[in-house]
């Protein structure tokens, strides 16, 4: 290696040891796909399509001796239907099928339709129009990667009264609106988000307008809100009885950034934002519902009621529909007290579970399958024991797929009950051992609310009202996994989506969601598990062993505002850890379901779950009755499942919970939240909310809250939990254990996107003084729509950074005055933040050209009514050994102690063409600084998947820390820079500056 650096004797250029996050070379079979691919060879010189790659995998995975790697070349893979993978596409022999981005490239699975050909339509309103195919359906539009808003009226419009199923107003203009059945009324109420399409708009006798809501949707959202009882929901309220806004009418198209889609006529209307030129803009209209589907068998399994028409009762059975509060499925059972009475149920599948009740007066039941007696089971429980509803006492499995009949005959005891049937339609054959890495999933839509409305229960769990009894359903995912095992999503990007990003459904097990960026979704971030498999006792059908870790999840719920960053239903042995979750309209993490079901009525298999080390901030921005961490229903396995003989407590610890605008509390132990251990969490800037809340209905039990830290003593202590007061901190003086929690929370360094933009809620900012407060959702243009405010002179905010420059961002206004700035303990003088008019995201003070290294800036309020802090813009220096840098290829080596002026006195070097380094960052620009020398050559540069050409690192003499590539003026957001060795002896990496 002397040619590289002229190393002094005894200085070793280390052999490459992969850093955390380093991409490894593929082994085994390698397949190549390209957006333009059509060949059947699937080679790097003749890549195939996605479908061709799938066929190649199927040809090779029957005799796998190593992993199969499918390299996705960069570009956009347009999908009108999802890439569908099943058991036949799975890894075999303990090996995986890995679908990964080709090094240095960005493959995008897109369900978007690019729209071009805009022309001015109404110049007085600056409305532009473009043609789209007649019948095109979508609820989203994105212009240059920025979400547009469906045309809507003002927030909380005045003057509307509810009359029957209509909203009436004295304003006559609504009656002239066109395409009235596509217009929606939207309401946010407490924890619910509701939508209904209109049937029509008619003129009232008094000359106003009557907005007549679709009858079925109004019934489901108002006059007959689904309330099937435990364990599906607790109350069914609130209901749609007012209007938060009116949406999707051409006549409401008034503001820049709004659009209206006339599906029948085939036109898209849009008002450009300032600076947008539609002639060259990238306008994406999502039209595909799903982008990727991984499905095993069976699919979704849900119980049907005892009155199902396929159930035939013989003898003296009685249908009981009002037994009091016993927890019956849909509030009823069939019962008999006569031995010999029977029920037969004919089904198509491989098995069936029959739900009944266990209680002291139960007795024996003879079970027949296809006419043959197979066993006798007992519904009796010990005298004095609690009555347990919806128990899968009869469980028939292992049948050949086809039509079968199970017959139950009463053989003893006082009575026999039948409450429901759950058919297993197919053999259990998961889709398994498949990974996706480095892929972007973008631009899908979900059109169901257009016709049926949005009938909310809670947290993106909706009511399916198309069946006799309302059943829980969920917003689907752009990427869906059904009945998966050992599925992994690592370092992917999910963005600009019209549904939930990722849904791990139907008993998916042992799967991992790691280090992904999830942002800008209409629905939630990640959903895991189900809301209706509580009764399950078969381990192979449970949701268990999954991990959701190190992800950055922001700005979910952009359309459906009751959705969650990470939602988990009934789960076992699941870990949700070290995620950064923020800027949510509702809760950050929601785990559990069933309210007080497991306390009062039945059992579930949930337990041994962990919520640890997460950073949750800026949640509950719009709705109420939630929190950064929201819990619902019992844990502890409740006597069923794989740990039936034990009770396994679930844990919440090491989390940083901050800034929850309308939260009840930072940790919300709602109905039935039992068998939890809540300890060693930090709650910051949550006043006037409580640091903990325990539901008071008595369904919470066996829960301990201890050793937590908070900046408020407020708490809501209900029954059933042992709550130790938090250590209350004032003036930002967190003790060392709390500071360690704050520092460690969120993604680990190798998965945390590097950033130069620091929001005012960043845990690294220290606020001292008692007057600092937080104001969110102001709608004034603050960065991330929130700002910190101090009212007392002397109160300060400090931030320590590693870099070469920093800007202090704040607001200027008539009620503000002087602030004093210190850099590394030295006063930089005072800055006047007074202005006659309000000005947001202003650079209050800045410096540049600092020596690369650690620096501290402090801002102190010195006069005026207020001082504000909106964040910092840092020129951040990142050394070549930072764990988030992804080095791809086998020739990378690390050299330390060279003495040539390297930043940190070290570099990374590659000798093989094609080896690359990738930097993921959040900001507006990046610089690549390295050494130039005679033994170096060309470097290929790619930014966000687009080639930036090459740069030449050759020079006649050695020069350290030279700026070889710079990109600035980028849209503030997530970006990816990749450098690939293309010539010369070496590619060197010394440092990156991110801003």
């Amino acid at each position: 290696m002397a040619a590289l650096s002229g190393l002094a004797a005894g200085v070793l250029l280390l052999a490459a040891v992969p850093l955390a996050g380093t991409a490894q070379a593929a082994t085994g079979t390698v397949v190549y796909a390209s957006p333009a691919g059509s060949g059947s060879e699937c080679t790097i010189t003749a890549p195939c399509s996605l479908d061709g790659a799938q066929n190649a995998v199927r040809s090779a995975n029957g005799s796998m001796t190593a992993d199969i790697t499918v390299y996705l070349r960069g570009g956009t893979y347009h999908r009108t239907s999802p890439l569908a993978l099943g058991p036949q596409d799975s890894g075999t022999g303990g090996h995986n099928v890995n679908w990964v981005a080709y090094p240095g490239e960005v493959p995008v699975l897109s369900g978007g339709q690019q729209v071009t050909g805009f022309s001015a339509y109404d110049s007085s309103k600056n409305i532009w129009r473009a043609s789209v195919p007649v019948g095109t359906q979508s609820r989203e539009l994105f212009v240059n990667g920025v979400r547009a808003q469906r045309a809507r009226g003002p927030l909380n419009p005045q003057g509307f009264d509810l009359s029957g199923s209509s909203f009436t107003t004295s304003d006559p203009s609504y009656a002239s609106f066109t395409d009235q059945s596509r217009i929606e009324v939207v309401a946010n109420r407490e924890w619910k988000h509701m939508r209904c399409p209109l049937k029509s708009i008619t003129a009232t006798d008094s000359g106003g307008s009557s907005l007549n809501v679709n009858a079925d949707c109004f019934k489901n959202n108002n006059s007959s809100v689904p309330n099937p009882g435990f364990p599906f929901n607790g109350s069914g309220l609130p209901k749609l009885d007012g209007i938060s806004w009116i949406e999707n009418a051409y006549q409401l198209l008034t503001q820049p950034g709004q659009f209206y889609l006339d599906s029948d006529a085939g036109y898209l209307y849009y008002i450009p934002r300032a600076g947008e030129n539609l002639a060259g803009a990238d306008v994406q209209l999502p039209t595909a519902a799903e982008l990727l589907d991984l499905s095993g068998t069976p699919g979704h399994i849900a119980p049907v009621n005892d009155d199902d028409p396929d159930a035939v009762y013989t003898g003296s059975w009685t249908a009981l529909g009002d037994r009091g509060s016993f927890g019956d499925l849909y509030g009823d059972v069939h019962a008999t007290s006569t031995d010999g009475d029977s029920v037969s149920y004919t089904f198509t599948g491989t098995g069936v579970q029959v739900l009944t009740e266990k209680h002291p007066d139960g007795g024996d039941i003879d079970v027949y399958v296809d006419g043959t007696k197979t066993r006798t089971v007992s519904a009796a429980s010990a005298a004095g024991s609690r009555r347990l509803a919806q128990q899968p006492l009869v469980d028939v499995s292992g049948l050949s797929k086809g039509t079968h009949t199970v017959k139950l005959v009463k053989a003893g005891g006082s009575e026999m009950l039948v409450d429901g049937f759950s058919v297993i339609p197919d053999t259990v054959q998961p889709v398994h051992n498949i990974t996706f890495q480095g892929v972007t999933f973008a631009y899908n839509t979900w059109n169901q609310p257009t016709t049926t409305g949005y009938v909310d229960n809670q947290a993106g769990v909706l009511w399916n009202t198309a069946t006799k009894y309302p059943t829980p359903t969920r917003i689907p995912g752009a990427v869906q996994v059904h009945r998966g095992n050992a599925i992994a999503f690592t370092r992917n990007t999910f963005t600009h989506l019209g549904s939930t990003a990722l849904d791990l459904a139907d008993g998916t097990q042992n799967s991992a969601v790691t280090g992904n960026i999830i942002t800008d979704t209409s629905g939630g971030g990640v959903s895991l598990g189900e809301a209706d498999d509580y009764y399950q006792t078969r381990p192979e059908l449970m949701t268990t062993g999954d991990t959701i870790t190190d992800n950055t999840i922001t700005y979910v719920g952009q359309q459906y505002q009751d959705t969650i960053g990470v939602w988990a239903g009934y789960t076992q042995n699941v870990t949700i850890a070290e995620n950064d979750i923020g800027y949510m309209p509702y809760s950050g993490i929601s785990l559990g379901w069933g309210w007080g079901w497991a306390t009062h009525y039945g059992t579930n298999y949930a337990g041994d779950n962990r919520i640890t080390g997460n950073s949750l901030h800026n949640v509950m921005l719009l709705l109420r009755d939630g929190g950064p961490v929201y819990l619902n229903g019992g844990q502890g396995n409740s006597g069923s499942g794989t740990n039936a003989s034990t009770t396994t407590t679930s844990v919440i610890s090491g989390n940083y919970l901050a800034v929850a605008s309308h939260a009840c509390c930072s940790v919300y132990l709602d109905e039935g939240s039992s068998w939890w251990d809540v300890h060693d969490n930090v709650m910051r800037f949550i006043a006037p909310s409580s640091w903990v809340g325990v539901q008071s209905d008595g369904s919470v039990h066996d829960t301990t809250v201890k050793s937590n830290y908070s900046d408020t003593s407020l708490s809501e202590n209900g029954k059933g939990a042992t709550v130790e007061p938090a250590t209350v901190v004032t003036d930002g003086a967190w003790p060392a254990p709390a500071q360690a929690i704050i520092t460690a929370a969120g993604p680990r360094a190798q998965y945390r996107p590097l950033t130069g933009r620091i929001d005012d809620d960043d845990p690294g900012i220290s606020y001292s003084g008692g007057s600092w407060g937080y104001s969110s959702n102001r709608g004034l243009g603050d960065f991330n729509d929130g700002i910190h405010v101090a009212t007392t002179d002397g109160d300060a905010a400090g931030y320590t950074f590693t870099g070469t420059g920093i800007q202090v961002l704040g607001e200027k206004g008539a009620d503000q005055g002087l602030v004093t700035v210190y850099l590394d303990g030295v006063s930089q003088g005072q800055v006047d933040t007074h202005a006659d008019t309000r000005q947001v995201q202003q650079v209050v003070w800045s410096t540049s050209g600092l020596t690369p290294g650690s620096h501290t800036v402090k801002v102190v309020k010195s006069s005026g009514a207020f001082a504000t802090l909106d964040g910092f813009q840092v020129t951040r220096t990142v050394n070549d050994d930072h764990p988030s840098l992804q080095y791809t290829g086998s020739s990378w080596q690390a050299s330390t102690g060279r003495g040539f002026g390297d930043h940190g006195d070290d570099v990374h070097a590659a000798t093989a063409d094609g080896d690359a380094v990738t930097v993921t960052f959040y900001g507006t620009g990046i610089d690549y600084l390295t050494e130039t020398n005679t033994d170096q050559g060309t470097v290929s540069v790619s930014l966000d998947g687009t080639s930036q050409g090459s740069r030449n690192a050759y020079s006649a003499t050695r020069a350290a820390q030279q700026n070889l590539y710079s990109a600035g003026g980028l849209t503030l957001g997530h970006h990816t820079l990749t450098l690939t060795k293309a010539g010369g002896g070496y590619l060197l990496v010394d440092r990156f500056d991110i801003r």
Side-chain angles (χ1 to χ4, degrees):
M1 297 299 288
L4 165 65
S5 52
L7 293 176
V11 179
L12 176 65
L13 186 62
L14 301 174
V17 176
L19 295 173
T22 302
Q24 301 302 300
T27 60
T29 301
V30 179
V31 177
Y32 295 88
S34 167
S38 59
S40 58
E41 295 301 315
C42 295
T43 65
I44 191 170
T45 56
C48 54
S49 65
L50 281 181
D51 294 334
Q54 183 179 23
N55 291 333
V57 169
R58 290 181 177 180
S59 297
N61 68 348
S63 55
M64 292 177 67
T65 58
D67 287 0
I68 296 174
T69 298
V70 181
Y71 276 126
L72 302 179
R73 301 305 301 264
T76 300
Y77 297 77
H78 292 283
R79 305 299 302 180
T80 57
S81 61
L83 172 64
L85 306 180
Q88 67 272 34
D89 304 295
S90 300
T92 59
H95 304 291
N96 292 328
V97 177
N98 304 310
W99 297 72
V100 301
Y102 188 82
E105 299 183 1
V106 180
V108 180
L109 267 64
S110 170
Q113 169 185 318
Q114 190 170 42
V115 181
T116 59
F118 280 91
S119 61
Y121 177 74
D122 185 338
S123 57
S124 66
K125 298 179 180 178
N126 197 29
I127 296 175
W128 292 64
R129 185 176 79 169
S131 296
V132 297
V134 172
T136 299
Q137 299 284 331
S138 184
R139 297 175 63 87
E140 285 80 23
L141 183 73
F142 299 87
V143 180
N144 293 330
V146 179
R147 179 181 290 261
Q149 184 185 76
R150 293 176 96 202
R152 64 165 65 172
L155 187 65
N156 300 318
Q158 300 300 303
F160 280 93
D161 295 311
L162 181 59
S163 176
S165 59
S166 300
F167 291 97
T168 61
T169 175
S170 60
D171 187 340
S173 64
Y174 291 97
S176 63
F177 281 16
T178 53
D179 207 4
Q180 295 173 358
S181 64
R182 295 187 185 275
I183 299 171
E184 297 174 11
V185 290
V186 184
N188 283 333
R189 294 290 183 272
E190 296 298 324
W191 66 87
K192 293 179 73 170
H193 175 83
M194 294 163 284
R195 292 173 174 265
C196 277
L198 298 182
K199 177 183 178 182
S200 63
I201 305 177
T202 55
T204 63
D205 293 339
S206 60
S209 301
S210 176
L211 281 62
N212 309 311
V213 181
N214 174 284
D216 287 340
C217 188
F218 185 81
K219 177 188 71 173
N220 293 322
N221 266 328
N222 181 291
S223 60
S224 184
V225 178
N227 185 13
F230 291 101
F232 294 134
N233 76 312
S235 68
L237 300 175
K239 59 186 179 181
L240 190 157
D241 55 6
I243 298 176
S244 295
W245 67 84
I246 302 168
E247 183 173 299
N248 200 41
Y250 174 81
Q251 289 75 15
L252 297 174
L253 186 59
T254 60
Q255 302 299 317
Q258 288 186 337
F259 77 98
Y260 174 73
L261 175 62
D262 187 338
S263 299
D264 295 333
Y267 288 114
L268 174 66
Y269 300 85
Y270 179 69
I271 300 179
R273 298 178 176 93
E276 285 180 342
N277 181 356
L278 294 181
D282 178 23
V283 181
Q284 295 287 335
L285 182 68
T287 54
E290 188 181 357
L291 305 176
L292 173 65
D293 188 287
L294 293 86
S295 290
T297 58
H300 189 66
I301 301 171
V304 299
N305 199 31
D306 55 286
D307 63 357
D308 190 85
D310 291 323
V312 178
Y313 294 91
T314 302
S316 55
W317 291 88
T318 301
L320 302 176
D322 187 13
R323 300 200 309 145
S325 184
F326 288 143
D328 305 327
L329 180 65
Y330 299 117
D332 65 357
V333 295
H334 271 70
T336 181
S337 57
T338 303
D339 288 353
D341 284 0
S342 66
V343 57
S344 297
Y345 188 71
T346 300
F347 63 95
T348 299
T350 63
V352 67
Q353 294 168 302
V354 184
L355 304 182
T356 184
E357 189 178 75
K358 291 194 72 172
H359 55 104
D361 53 358
D364 288 347
I365 302 171
D366 292 335
V367 181
Y368 295 78
V369 178
D370 296 332
T372 300
K373 182 178 177 180
T374 61
R375 76 202 77 168
T376 298
V377 299
S378 176
S381 58
S385 61
R386 181 166 68 97
R387 183 188 299 267
L388 294 176
Q390 300 191 44
Q391 301 296 295
L393 190 62
V394 176
D395 192 335
V396 176
S397 62
L399 304 178
S400 60
K401 186 177 180 180
T403 300
H404 303 277
T405 298
V406 61
K407 180 180 179 182
L408 311 182
V409 180
K410 184 179 183 303
S414 299
E415 62 179 357
M416 171 180 163
L417 301 179
V418 174
D419 199 7
F421 307 90
S422 184
V423 174
I424 316 300
D426 208 338
T427 56
V428 179
Q429 189 177 9
V431 57
H432 60 91
N433 292 94
I434 298 176
T435 71
F436 276 83
Q437 181 172 342
V439 181
T440 294
F441 301 94
Y443 304 125
N444 80 312
T445 192
W446 176 53
N447 289 315
Q448 179 179 313
T450 301
T451 55
T452 63
Y454 190 87
V455 184
D456 189 17
N457 181 9
Q458 180 175 304
V461 180
L462 314 176
W463 291 117
N464 174 15
T465 58
T467 55
K468 179 179 179 180
Y469 298 101
T471 56
T473 185
R474 291 183 287 111
I475 299 175
V479 174
Q480 299 179 28
V481 181
H482 302 270
R483 204 67 62 187
N485 199 318
I487 305 296
F489 291 92
T490 305
R491 293 189 182 277
N492 303 286
T493 298
F494 300 79
T495 187
H496 310 324
L497 298 172
S499 64
T500 291
L502 175 60
D503 186 10
L504 305 180
D506 298 327
T508 291
Q509 301 181 347
N510 307 312
S511 296
V513 181
T514 309
N516 301 278
I517 294 171
I518 300 173
T519 188
D520 189 17
T521 67
S522 292
V526 180
S527 294
L528 175 65
E530 299 297 332
D532 59 358
D533 64 350
Y534 49 93
Y535 59 88
Q536 196 54 252
T537 55
R538 291 195 199 175
E540 71 273 19
L541 296 178
M542 298 174 179
T543 299
T544 181
D546 303 299
T547 61
I548 302 172
T549 59
D550 295 294
N551 303 285
T552 299
I553 304 175
T554 57
Y555 288 103
V556 308
Q558 293 296 289
Q559 186 171 173
Y560 311 111
Q561 295 176 345
D562 62 316
T563 48
I564 308 291
V566 176
W567 178 90
Y570 294 102
T571 60
Q572 188 179 101
N573 190 28
V574 158
T575 297
I576 304 171
E578 297 171 323
N579 302 285
D580 184 294
I581 301 176
Y583 312 110
M584 306 283 155
Y586 190 44
S587 296
I589 294 174
S590 176
L591 190 149
W593 210 246
W595 288 265
W597 167 256
T599 299
H600 298 308
Y601 307 110
T603 57
N604 67 59
Y605 69 84
D608 195 21
N609 296 306
R610 292 164 295 282
I611 301 174
T612 60
N614 299 281
S615 176
L616 294 110
H617 55 94
N618 284 282
V619 300
M620 301 300 301
L621 294 178
L622 292 174
L623 297 184
R624 300 180 181 275
D625 202 40
V629 175
Y630 173 86
L631 308 173
N632 182 332
Q635 300 285 301
N637 305 116
S638 302
S640 65
T642 56
N643 297 320
S645 62
T646 63
T647 296
T648 308
T649 299
S650 294
V651 174
I652 300 172
S653 69
N655 300 286
Y656 171 70
L657 313 174
V659 188
S661 298
H662 300 130
C664 141
C665 26
S666 282
V667 176
Y668 187 176
L669 294 145
D670 205 357
E671 297 175 58
S673 298
S674 303
W675 296 110
W676 280 102
D677 185 4
V678 183
H679 66 89
D680 293 287
N681 301 281
V682 173
M683 293 81 162
R684 184 185 188 197
F685 286 118
I686 57 173
S689 300
S690 300
W691 66 271
V692 68
V694 181
Q695 227 287 336
S696 60
D697 71 346
S699 61
V700 175
H701 61 87
D702 294 284
T703 288
T704 301
V705 182
K706 62 185 179 183
S707 303
N708 296 285
Y709 304 88
S710 175
D711 56 9
T712 178
S713 61
L714 292 174
S715 64
E716 296 182 15
N717 298 337
K719 304 175 183 177
T722 301
V723 179
E724 174 187 289
T727 298
V728 178
V729 173
T730 59
D731 201 31
W734 298 100
Q739 188 60 56
I741 294 168
I742 294 171
T743 301
R748 290 170 290 175
Q750 63 265 38
Y751 295 109
R752 186 175 301 182
L754 299 168
T755 184
R757 178 63 70 94
I758 309 301
D759 198 7
D760 58 294
D761 73 324
D762 190 278
I765 301 174
S766 61
Y767 290 94
S768 58
S771 74
W772 283 103
Y774 179 75
S775 180
S776 65
N777 205 32
R778 300 197 311 161
L780 298 175
D782 309 321
F783 177 53
N784 285 327
D785 205 15
I787 199 164
H788 272 76
V789 181
T791 58
T792 301
D793 290 351
D795 285 3
Y799 183 69
T800 298
F801 64 99
T802 300
T804 62
I806 191 168
Q807 297 175 337
V808 179
L809 305 179
E811 178 184 272
K812 294 182 178 181
D815 50 6
Q816 298 188 53
L818 298 174
V819 295
T820 304
V821 180
Y822 294 83
L823 179 66
D824 296 331
V826 178
S827 174
Q828 307 298 302
Q830 292 186 325
V831 178
D832 191 357
T833 62
H834 177 89
D836 292 336
T837 58
R838 186 194 304 272
Q839 303 169 32
V840 297
Q841 289 201 51
Q842 297 298 296
V843 178
V844 173
W845 179 85
S846 67
T847 188
S848 61
L850 303 176
T851 301
S854 178
H855 302 279
T856 299
V857 65
K858 184 169 74 169
V859 181
V860 182
K861 183 184 182 304
S862 300
S863 70
F866 301 103
T868 60
L869 182 66
D870 202 7
F872 300 98
Q873 179 69 53
V874 176
T875 302
R876 179 177 181 180
T877 300
V878 178
N879 197 33
D880 60 284
D881 63 354
H882 195 279
S884 70
L885 303 184
Q886 299 174 66
Y887 289 95
T888 305
S890 59
S891 75
W892 284 103
Q893 297 178 332
S895 178
T896 61
R898 301 199 312 153
F900 292 132
D902 310 322
H903 178 65
D905 201 18
D906 63 356
V907 294
H908 268 68
T911 58
D913 287 354
D915 285 3
V917 59
T918 297
V919 188
T920 299
F921 66 98
Y922 180 90
T924 61
I926 188 169
D927 297 329
Y928 161 50
L929 291 93
T930 188
E931 176 185 274
T932 59
N933 203 355
T934 57
D935 55 4
Q936 297 180 53
T938 53
V939 181
S940 295
V941 181
S942 172
L943 181 65
D944 295 334
T946 301
S947 174
Q948 306 298 303
S950 61
R951 300 295 187 273
N952 196 340
Y954 174 86
S955 65
T957 58
R958 184 191 309 275
Q961 299 195 50
Q962 300 299 295
N963 193 332
L964 200 64
Y965 171 78
S966 181
L970 306 177
T971 301
L972 179 63
H974 295 282
H975 301 280
T976 300
L977 175 71
T978 298
L979 310 174
T980 304
K981 184 180 182 303
Y986 300 98
L987 165 63
L988 259 64
V989 175
D990 189 12
R991 92 182 206 222
F992 296 94
D993 286 350
I994 294 166
R995 55 190 181 278

